[in-house]
Amino acid sequence: MSKTPLKHQKQGSQQASFLLCSKCQTVIGVYYIDTEVCVGSLNAKLLDKFHQVQQRLVVSPKRLNKTEKVKRWRQLWSQLQIVITE
């Protein structure tokens, strides 16, 4: 486990922010924030009990427009509370 700060990266439509390990570039999770909602998803493969997580859902985000992507994220991702510590 690394204590190095996570790297933030935007991809595709530039709406969601991906959190990557600064050392190995593995995607840790992804989040989307607007004035109404803060939702995100975790890379479940990184969990110790990965086999107990719901089956993954394969999507083709490149086929969705910006509005459709946000609607899908709101439906599928978990609500987040972001706490910033120093």
Side-chain angles (χ1 to χ4, degrees), residues 6-8 11 16-17 19 21 23 25-27 30-32 36 43-45 52 55 59 64 73 78-80 84:
L6 297 175
K7 179 179 174 183
H8 294 250
Q11 299 177 357
S17 296
L19 300 172
C21 173
K23 292 187 177 190
Q25 304 304 308
T26 297
V27 174
V30 60
Y31 65 92
Y32 169 77
E36 299 173 6
N43 181 351
K45 290 184 181 180
Q52 294 178 351
Q55 243 182 352
V59 296
L64 302 175
W73 297 336
S78 300
Q79 289 191 356
L80 300 177
I84 300 173

Side-chain angles (χ1 to χ4, degrees), residues 17-44:
S17 296
F18 290 79
L19 300 172
L20 295 89
C21 173
S22 296
K23 292 187 177 190
C24 68
Q25 304 304 308
T26 297
V27 174
I28 307 299
V30 60
Y31 65 92
Y32 169 77
I33 301 173
D34 67 15
T35 58
E36 299 173 6
V37 70
C38 178
V39 292
S41 183
L42 179 68
N43 181 351

